[in-house]
Amino acid sequence: MVEPRLSAAIVPVALAIACCVTGLQGCGGNPTPKPTPSPTPSPTPPPTPPTPTPPGSYDGNPPFMLEDKGMRAFSYNPLYLAQPSCLNSPGKGACRNIINDDVSAEWAMNMWSETGRGDIKTMATFGANAVRLYGNDPRFSKRKFFDELLKNGMKVVTGLSNYPFSNQNAPAGCIWANKYDCFQSANDSYYSVLTKGEFVKDGYYHNAVEVVSIMNEPDINAWNPGAWKSQNNYIKAMVSGFDGILSAEEKAQVKPWKNGKLPKITVSWSYGMLAKELCNEKGYIMHMDDPNVDCGPSIAFMAQLYFAIQDPVGTVGYQPKHDLKKFYKERWILALQPFNRADEVYRQAVVPGQTWEPLKGYKMYFGEFDPAVNACGDHPTCKAYGKKRAGTGSEVNPERPEVDENSDGSLFLYVSAGIQQGQPSRDTIWHV
């Protein structure tokens, strides 16, 4: 754990000096009355020095890698409310506007820093070694958030906001304005994140950055009905977005950490199902081991992207500027966001991943996981769900031969319950 460097407080000392004051009559004759002493002026405080960067932030030596230790993380997206009453009437009146969804920016320090509510320290106290983020406004620095994570022995799963891809008001919203070619949108946005956002200094990523997600749930947020009538679809958006991120890194002169690694890259897929008419070569899935399994939730989307990366021109009609097959093999990690029981997810996604080409050999983690949602209508627990548990999940070890839902086995814990929804206690955390 990196300890912050503390600045010594310099307290100026006022020294009172007695002076002989000579009046017009000199020092002889009638005594000169003593002057009324002026009050000692308050010392002018020295200017506040800029906050120093804690040693280790950008030195190219990450203290640990999640891919080696496993991930135990909070999915962190606290809702910043204008006033307490907004809990009962979100989206109405004065509660309509949220300041910004980039909660890693300095404006949100009162929530996550030790000088505020201390959310990061709280998450670390529960044993978390990472935090997953959503919004990423490239105008704001994330350095203080990252420094706070390192100080608490944590890393970050971050990425681009969905805004440059799917918002119709974005300057270059590529889905609407550029026929799903998202190279330039991703390149411009991520370059600003790397520089203004202070993801990178002197060529090195901040040591807290572990995973970069291109987009959150593009199968939902970048879906345009009828898009499959052409090559302009969400898979093209992710292929070109991947290419754009690589170009932004080149422009920012990013270099590997001294351990030879760079942050992993991913797409955070929902646990939805690919339409049956697309679970074939029409949807870029070139071959399957078992159609009844390989068209399952999440993994079919992963397979679409994998096969498109192998032949971007022939599938989505995109000519990449990089060897995407090479970078995919070197830097990719799989991410899914299930709201089903662990045994179901293991059977539907993990088991096929051990043998099927698009998933085999790649590590996998859950970006969100709350099995109570489907059974309890978005509540953390209910009688229909059974045991009283908080929403949790896991990073998956493909070599684990079986899952016992009540075990404390080798699958890594991933806590995805929102910090604003209350803290899960040890006896409610689900070890999978």
Side-chain angles (χ1 to χ4, degrees):
M1 185 180 295
V2 179
E3 296 292 338
R5 182 177 296 165
L6 301 178
S7 300
I10 302 174
V11 182
V13 178
L15 178 62
I17 302 177
C19 299
C20 172
V21 179
T22 305
L24 293 177
Q25 296 183 10
C27 290
N30 295 328
T32 303
K34 293 182 178 180
T36 302
S38 300
T40 304
S42 300
T44 302
T48 304
T51 304
T53 300
S57 294
Y58 299 98
D59 66 359
N61 287 300
F64 66 93
M65 300 298 292
L66 293 177
E67 62 178 297
D68 299 327
K69 295 186 64 174
M71 182 189 297
R72 302 181 303 276
F74 275 86
S75 179
Y76 185 63
N77 192 27
L79 180 61
Y80 191 88
L81 301 176
Q83 54 197 36
S85 63
C86 293
L87 284 170
N88 301 319
S89 57
K92 299 178 181 179
C95 306
R96 186 180 303 277
N97 295 322
I98 297 174
I99 295 176
N100 193 285
D101 68 347
D102 185 355
V103 296
S104 60
E106 293 181 18
W107 70 265
M109 285 181 66
N110 62 330
M111 290 191 287
W112 47 258
S113 72
E114 287 190 9
T115 59
R117 192 170 65 187
D119 288 353
I120 288 177
K121 187 173 183 179
T122 298
M123 290 185 279
T125 300
F126 280 106
N129 63 5
V131 60
R132 185 267 171 100
L133 299 174
Y134 293 84
N136 189 346
D137 191 323
R139 298 173 298 176
F140 302 136
S141 169
K142 297 17 160 188
R143 179 178 62 81
K144 290 185 179 180
F145 185 87
F146 294 166
D147 289 345
E148 192 81 7
L149 288 176
L150 281 187
K151 187 169 68 173
N152 286 276
M154 296 176 68
K155 305 291 283 294
V156 64
V157 177
T158 181
L160 287 174
S161 169
N162 283 2
Y163 180 81
F165 294 97
S166 59
N167 195 298
Q168 294 186 61
N169 298 319
C174 53
I175 289 172
W176 301 96
N178 204 30
K179 297 181 179 179
Y180 285 82
D181 183 340
C182 294
F183 171 85
Q184 201 61 51
S185 293
N187 177 68
D188 294 347
S189 182
Y190 197 58
Y191 180 74
S192 293
V193 166
L194 294 174
T195 53
K196 294 179 183 178
E198 295 192 275
F199 271 44
V200 169
K201 279 191 181 297
D202 299 323
Y204 287 123
Y205 268 98
H206 193 290
N207 288 334
V209 180
E210 179 89 13
V211 178
V212 175
S213 177
I214 300 173
M215 189 177 181
N216 185 55
E217 298 185 338
D219 53 295
I220 296 174
N221 296 309
W223 175 261
N224 186 0
W228 283 93
K229 294 178 181 178
S230 72
Q231 294 173 310
N232 302 325
N233 53 61
Y234 63 89
I235 297 298
K236 178 180 178 180
M238 295 302 96
V239 171
S240 55
F242 182 28
D243 203 22
I245 283 180
L246 296 174
S247 285
E249 288 184 333
E250 289 179 354
K251 186 177 179 181
Q253 298 182 332
V254 170
K255 56 189 176 184
W257 288 305
K258 294 174 184 177
N259 60 13
K261 298 180 179 181
L262 284 165
K264 293 291 187 182
I265 299 177
T266 193
V267 169
S268 303
W269 298 105
S270 82
Y271 208 61
M273 296 286 291
L274 179 64
K276 289 184 179 180
E277 62 268 24
L278 297 178
C279 195
N280 48 43
E281 291 187 9
K282 179 182 177 182
Y284 315 137
I285 299 180
M286 300 307 173
H287 65 80
M288 290 179 281
D289 294 341
D290 182 348
N292 294 321
V293 174
D294 298 341
C295 291
S298 284
I299 62 173
F301 302 130
M302 296 175 184
Q304 284 186 296
L305 180 58
Y306 171 84
F307 286 116
I309 290 288
Q310 310 310 305
D311 181 15
V313 176
T315 53
V316 295
Y318 176 76
Q319 181 63 57
K321 296 175 175 55
H322 300 85
D323 184 349
L324 297 185
K325 289 173 61 176
K326 171 181 177 291
F327 284 104
Y328 189 96
K329 185 175 182 180
E330 292 175 351
R331 298 184 62 182
W332 204 260
I333 188 170
L334 302 172
L336 62 158
Q337 306 191 153
F339 291 82
N340 294 54
R341 290 171 56 94
D343 53 341
E344 295 174 348
V345 179
Y346 184 76
R347 182 180 66 256
Q348 295 168 348
V350 180
V351 171
Q354 297 180 34
T355 56
W356 192 25
E357 177 190 342
L359 282 70
K360 184 179 180 180
Y362 294 97
K363 292 191 176 182
M364 178 185 292
Y365 73 91
F366 293 177
E368 297 172 357
F369 183 48
D370 187 352
V373 168
N374 288 344
C376 303
D378 227 6
H379 295 287
T381 187
C382 65
K383 291 182 180 179
Y385 180 54
K387 295 184 179 181
K388 197 173 183 179
R389 295 164 172 156
T392 58
S394 64
E395 179 181 338
V396 178
N397 178 353
E399 297 181 359
R400 173 77 181 276
E402 60 184 357
V403 169
D404 175 358
E405 64 167 6
N406 296 312
S407 75
D408 281 329
S410 62
L411 294 186
F412 304 116
L413 178 66
Y414 182 105
V415 183
S416 63
I419 192 79
Q420 76 279 10
Q421 297 174 357
Q423 319 301 337
S425 63
R426 286 188 176 275
D427 60 348
T428 61
I429 288 180
W430 186 12
H431 297 271
V432 296

